[in-house]
């Protein structure tokens, strides 16, 4: 079946659907009225399947057509006009309530209508609830006008059977036939309403409970016309409110227009069960000595409906469990295999839980056959594609090599900076390195003179690796350089600069990347460092000879950059005394990983820093620890020593 949004009641399509429903309902109603003997109010009405089917297919136009058809049929049988009008209104809800329940009660699960055991159980449950509410309401209507009606105690069972058994017995085969013909179902317009939908579901529970209470009162013979009238009016109001239940079936809720294996199995077993029931009823009726006497009084009507209900419900219960077993053992595993093969053909990935639209084929076996046929055809193109892929890979590798050279070109010239410091008789030596885990890395390393007495030191680490992280790092470095280059005023405004850089990164950060950053300004004359730490590893400070204790610059200025706007950052100060060394690094050092998936660790890095006379000793120890394991992260450091 296919789904389309519901058409307006007064539109051309809506009027056609309403007239078609009214004519069909009147035809089947007249057929039973004039071919089967009846009692007042309790005729044999297998036409009750029409409102349910037309309501589920057409919605409001189908329900209006059921009202008109029932009204015309009752007027033709000389039923009092008030009863005709109220019974017609009940038939409107008999058609419209299943429509709202199907699409408004977890509608997204009804993707292919009657196609498996779950959808069959859903339809049966709706038919039971709908038939029960209709039977109780019609019982109350009859009791309102004819409170002394003979045999009313048995009427509820007959009314319920009319409006449950026939929608299941005749409605299901018709819906399956329409499914095979790829008929269109007109769903309600999707609209939000979860909260109101919850209230309407509670109203349905309340109405069912009140119906049960009313039946108990009827059984105890303590009802009267006034109570029945009040209950009937209240039931109509409740049904009207329940039928405003919003649709939960959105644009992603598309029905299956193809015949899946599960759908075909369901159809076959349903038709078999229906045929069995019809044959059983025919045999029972033929065994009666006088079949005409079966319909002359209400007791015989009750007997007939018992004869109808037992094989109907028994057969469908057996069918349900048989269908569940077939789904579990055959159709569902085969469908899963088919969809996996089809998904692999389309995407080249094997995902067992992938949700894929079915191909235009009759069942999963044909989908599986088509999928593997397509796979064999694709193999013929594999060698040509492999050659093209190798050429593309070579081109990409060349581009990455150029990108790596460009990134290395952005690193500071520390030899030039050290020569400048030596010329100015400054007792400082600065060393640094950035080793990318891939061709390009996501770490930052920057060092530059602001003026004769101040040097900017920056180390950062972008979340992730590769080209995206490298681009994000270069943007961050450019923003910092633009704010600090040759600007002595940046010394006192370092925290504000961090805030502006954070806002600039967050403004266009569609991929939600972020960077941890440590940036500081070293005053050469005093060794005083003004710094900002945005979620970065704390630098380590110790004496050059390794004596004394190791100190961590642990003060944080704020969170990482690039995720949240308008974050206030604070600056901190530290002192680099003479005969001390400072190591600013990324987590590629302490989280370096060997083949055994062990980390180098903070403690080992701190001990090595205390002993080391130069940063090369630390990197040599890390490389020895990692061995031949592939790089797990970029490794970047900045070493500053004051003699």
């Amino acid at each position: 079946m296919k789904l389309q949004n519901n058409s307006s009641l007064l539109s051309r399509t809506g009027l056609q659907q309403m007239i078609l429903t009214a004519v069909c309902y009147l035809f089947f109603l007249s057929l039973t009225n004039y071919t089967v003997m009846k009692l007042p109010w309790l005729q044999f009405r297998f036409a009750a399947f029409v409102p349910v089917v037309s309501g589920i297919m057409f919605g409001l136009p189908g329900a209006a057509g059921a009202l008109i058809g029932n009204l015309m049929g009752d007027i033709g049988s000389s039923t009092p006009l008030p009863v005709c009008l109220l019974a017609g209104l009940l038939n409107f809800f008999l058609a419209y309530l299943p429509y709202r329940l199907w699409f408004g009660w977890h509608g997204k699960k009804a993707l292919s209508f009657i196609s498996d055991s779950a959808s069959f159980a859903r339809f049966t449950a709706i038919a039971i609830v709908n038939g029960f509410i209709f039977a109780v309401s019609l019982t109350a209507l009859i009791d309102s006008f004819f409170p002394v009606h003979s045999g009313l105690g048995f009427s509820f069972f007959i009314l319920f059977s009319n409006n449950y058994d026939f929608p299941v017995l005749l409605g299901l085969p018709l819906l399956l036939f329409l499914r095979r013909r790829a008929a269109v179902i007109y769903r309600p317009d999707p609209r939000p309403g979860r909260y109101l939908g919850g209230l309407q579901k509670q109203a349905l529970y309340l109405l069912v409970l009140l119906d049960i209470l009313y039946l108990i009162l009827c059984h105890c013979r303590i009802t009267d016309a006034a109570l029945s009238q009040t209950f009937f009016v209240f039931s109509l109001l409740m049904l009207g409110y329940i039928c405003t239940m919003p649709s939960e079936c959105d644009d992603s809720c598309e029905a299956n227009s193809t015949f899946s294996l599960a759908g075909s199995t369901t159809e076959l077993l349903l038709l078999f069960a229906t045929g069995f029931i019809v044959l059983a009823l025919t045999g029972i009726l033929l065994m009666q000595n006088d079949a005409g006497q079966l319909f002359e009084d209400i007791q015989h009507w009750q007997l007939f409906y018992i004869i109808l209900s037992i094989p109907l419900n028994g057969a469908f219960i057996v069918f349900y469990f048989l269908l569940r077993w077939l789904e579990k053992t055959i159709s569902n595993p085969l469908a899963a295999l088919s969809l996996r093969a089809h998904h692999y053909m389309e995407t080249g990935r094997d995902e067992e839980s992938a949700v894929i639209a079915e191909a235009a084929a009759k069942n999963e076996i044909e989908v599986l056959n088509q999928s593997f046929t397509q796979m064999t055809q694709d193999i013929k193109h594999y060698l040509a594609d492999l050659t093209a892929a190798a050429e593309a890979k070579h081109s990409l590798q060349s581009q990455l090599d150029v990108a790596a050279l460009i990134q290395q070109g952005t690193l500071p010239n520390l030899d030039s900076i050290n020569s400048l410091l030596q010329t100015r008789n400054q007792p400082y030596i600065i060393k640094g390195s950035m080793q990318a885990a891939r061709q390009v890395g996501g770490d930052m390393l920057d060092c530059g003179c602001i003026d004769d007495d101040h040097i900017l030191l920056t180390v950062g680490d972008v979340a992730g690796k590769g080209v995206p992280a490298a681009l994000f790092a270069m943007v961050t470095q450019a923003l910092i350089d633009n704010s600090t280059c040759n600007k002595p005023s940046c010394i006192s405004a370092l925290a504000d600069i961090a805030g502006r850089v954070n806002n600039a990164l967050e403004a266009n950060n569609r991929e939600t990347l972020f960077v941890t950053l440590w940036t500081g300004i070293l005053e050469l004359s005093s060794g005083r460092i003004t710094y900002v730490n945005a979620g970065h590893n704390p630098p380590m400070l110790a004496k050059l000879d390794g004596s004394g204790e190791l100190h961590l610059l642990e003060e944080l200025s704020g969170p990482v950059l690039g995720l949240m706007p308008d974050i206030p950052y604070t600056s901190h100060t530290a002192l680099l005394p003479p005969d001390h060394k400072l190591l600013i690094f990324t987590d590629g050092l302490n989280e370096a990983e060997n083949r055994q998936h062990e980390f180098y660790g903070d403690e080992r890095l701190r001990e090595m820093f205390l002993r080391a006379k130069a940063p090369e000793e630390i990197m040599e120890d890390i490389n020895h620890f990692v061995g031949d394991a592939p790089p797990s992260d970029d490794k970047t450091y900045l070493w500053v020593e004051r003699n």
Side-chain angles (χ1 to χ4, degrees), residues 109-127:
K109 295 182 180 179
L111 297 181
S112 55
F113 207 64
I114 309 298
S115 61
D116 54 18
S117 61
S119 57
F120 167 68
R122 177 187 180 85
F123 177 85
T124 305
I126 290 176

Side-chain angles (χ1 to χ4, degrees), residues 403-419:
L405 292 175
I406 294 174
Q407 187 178 50
Q408 290 295 321
T410 63
L411 297 179
N413 188 342
L414 296 181
D415 291 337
S416 176
I417 293 175
N418 285 319
S419 297

Side-chain angles (χ1 to χ4, degrees), residues 67-282:
L67 185 153
I68 295 172
N70 185 83
L71 184 63
M72 295 174 64
D74 284 348
I75 291 176
S77 61
S78 302
T79 305
L81 184 60
V83 179
C84 292
L85 294 174
L86 294 174
L89 188 58
L90 268 182
N91 271 272
F92 173 85
F93 289 119
L94 176 66
Y96 199 52
L97 182 60
Y99 178 71
R100 281 295 173 181
L101 291 179
W102 185 266
F103 290 105
W105 204 297
H106 305 302
K108 291 182 180 180
K109 295 182 180 179
L111 297 181
S112 55
F113 207 64
I114 309 298
S115 61
D116 54 18
S117 61
S119 57
F120 167 68
R122 177 187 180 85
F123 177 85
T124 305
I126 290 176
I128 292 174
V129 172
N130 195 57
F132 177 77
I133 293 176
F134 182 83
V136 175
S137 300
L138 192 56
T139 299
L141 176 62
I142 296 173
D143 200 26
S144 299
F145 286 89
F146 306 97
V148 295
H149 187 277
S150 175
L152 187 62
F154 302 105
S155 64
F156 167 76
F157 177 76
I158 296 175
L159 292 172
F160 174 73
S161 296
N162 263 323
N163 295 283
Y164 160 66
D165 291 335
F166 291 118
V168 175
L169 182 63
L170 302 178
L172 274 177
L174 179 58
L175 287 171
L176 291 172
F177 171 77
L178 294 173
R179 179 179 182 271
R180 177 175 288 276
R181 303 296 296 178
V184 176
I185 287 184
Y186 294 84
R187 65 178 178 187
D189 293 331
R191 58 187 175 92
R194 297 279 180 171
Y195 178 69
L196 291 177
L199 290 180
Q200 288 144 352
K201 293 174 185 178
Q202 299 301 323
L204 178 62
Y205 297 143
L206 177 61
L207 180 59
V208 171
L209 290 176
L210 291 176
D211 286 344
I212 295 174
L213 178 61
Y214 178 77
L215 288 180
I216 294 174
L217 295 177
C218 288
H219 180 73
C220 298
R221 300 183 181 275
I222 56 177
T223 59
D224 54 21
L227 177 61
S228 296
Q229 292 171 4
T230 302
F231 177 79
F232 179 77
V233 172
F234 179 78
S235 296
L236 287 182
L237 294 175
M238 291 287 287
L239 284 171
Y241 176 68
I242 295 168
C243 286
T244 63
M245 180 181 297
S247 170
E248 296 182 10
C249 189
D250 58 21
D251 291 336
S252 65
C253 175
E254 286 297 333
N256 255 332
S257 61
T258 59
F259 272 56
S260 68
L261 185 62
S264 300
T265 304
T266 303
E267 178 185 83
L268 178 63
L269 290 180
L270 270 173
L271 293 178
F272 175 79
T274 303
F276 169 78
I277 294 167
V278 172
L279 290 176
L281 288 175
T282 303

